[in-house]
Amino acid sequence: MSDGDSDESVDQPPVLLVRDDREFLVQPGEEMGTDLGILEVPADVEPGDTVETHLDEAFHVRRLRGPDLFHHFERTGAPMVPRDIGLIIGETGIARGDRVLDTGTGTGVLSATMARAGATVVTYERDPDFADVARENMELGGIADAVDVRTGDLTEELEAGALESALFDVLTLDTGDAAEIVTHAPELLVEGGFVAVYSPFIESTRDVVEAAREAGLANIRTRETIQREMQFDDRGSRPSTAPVGHTGYLTIARNE
């Protein structure tokens, strides 16, 4: 294999290897040990291929999709669930070419999904160990070049004036001091840019709304994110009797 071929294989996006209830997120060219034998993944593997272990156990190759990150990233806490990420992207219109400022990186699922939508992301994580895991997750997800994971406190950075000259299209916050950061939104966002704040608690959500009003943001609205699964069987159809699927509160506002 030539050096050029080797470099090309490194640039291949990760893929999923699937067999029944087993899924492995791997890079082309990688070797992985499983309970069904050793997988040697070809550097030129493509979605739709079949890869066998040394014990002749077959795995189907599937293209990585955004929701797969939720299941395969290493976790440092409870990541934002796909339905809430979908609301943020849908409400703010995050798309290719956008610049996003994020804080409360955690596992990094939100940042990674926004990057896969075409945005470039700067995200702050206070915990150095969590930040290291997030960087590894970005590598695993194939979007490390689009996500700048910074170790630090965004509030302190703003107080020091470190981001004064930076303008972003969207500001996403999943942190306890979100209300304080929202007061800086007019300085950070382009005209027409959005703020999206996720919080598990009503009290902090109310603080965010008040801060957004004081900052002069427009179109401020808060929704509880909640879903119910449906059950279908021979007896009939109805919502599941499992606990209602509340995850948190999402506040959206706009810089106008």
Side-chain angles (χ1 to χ4, degrees):
M1 179 180 293
S2 69
D3 290 341
D5 291 337
S6 176
D7 290 341
E8 184 177 352
S9 69
V10 172
D11 294 333
Q12 294 297 312
V15 294
L16 281 174
L17 300 185
V18 182
R19 177 191 171 101
D20 298 327
D21 61 347
R22 293 175 176 84
E23 288 188 359
F24 300 103
L25 180 58
V26 298
Q27 294 286 351
E30 183 179 355
E31 181 179 296
M32 173 178 286
T34 77
D35 59 328
L36 296 177
I38 298 173
L39 280 164
E40 293 187 3
V41 185
D44 59 353
V45 69
E46 295 284 348
D49 291 349
T50 297
V51 178
E52 294 185 348
T53 71
H54 79 289
L55 299 177
D56 297 326
E57 299 288 349
F59 282 78
H60 179 68
V61 181
R62 192 169 71 198
R63 183 166 66 93
L64 175 70
R65 305 287 297 185
D68 296 318
L69 305 177
F70 178 80
H71 301 289
H72 292 281
F73 272 3
E74 181 179 346
R75 297 191 178 186
T76 52
M80 191 176 295
V81 299
R83 71 165 180 259
D84 294 343
I85 293 174
L87 285 172
I88 289 174
I89 292 178
E91 292 279 359
T92 62
I94 291 170
R96 185 169 303 281
D98 282 348
R99 298 186 67 228
V100 180
L101 177 61
D102 172 71
T103 189
T105 314
T107 299
V109 174
L110 173 61
S111 291
T113 307
M114 293 188 295
R116 286 178 59 82
T120 56
V121 183
V122 175
T123 180
Y124 282 82
E125 171 55 55
R126 293 191 184 99
D127 189 303
D129 293 333
F130 287 8
D132 285 342
V133 171
R135 293 185 190 103
E136 292 172 0
N137 283 338
M138 299 308 131
E139 292 283 353
L140 183 65
I143 34 73
D145 59 339
V147 182
D148 179 5
V149 180
R150 300 182 180 179
T151 303
D153 187 317
L154 178 56
T155 303
E156 293 178 359
E157 292 287 294
L158 293 173
E159 290 174 353
L163 293 173
E164 279 185 352
S165 61
L167 286 178
F168 297 88
D169 299 283
V170 180
L171 172 63
T172 57
L173 308 173
D174 182 8
T175 180
D177 59 352
E180 186 174 351
I181 297 171
V182 165
T183 63
H184 295 274
E187 315 156 16
L188 296 169
L189 291 172
V190 299
E191 183 177 348
F194 285 92
V195 179
V197 183
Y198 180 83
S199 175
F201 303 113
I202 292 177
E203 292 83 359
S204 55
T205 301
R206 183 179 181 88
D207 291 342
V208 164
V209 171
E210 292 176 353
R213 289 171 178 165
E214 292 176 3
L217 300 180
N219 304 124
I220 305 165
R221 56 199 183 279
T222 298
R223 296 186 180 92
E224 180 182 15
T225 62
I226 187 169
Q227 286 185 346
R228 293 191 301 174
E229 291 191 7
M230 298 296 293
Q231 291 182 334
F232 302 98
D233 55 36
D234 293 339
R235 297 176 299 166
S237 307
R238 67 178 183 181
S240 171
T241 56
V244 175
H246 163 90
T247 49
Y249 303 94
L250 179 62
T251 300
I252 303 290
R254 196 166 194 179
N255 185 40
E256 292 186 344

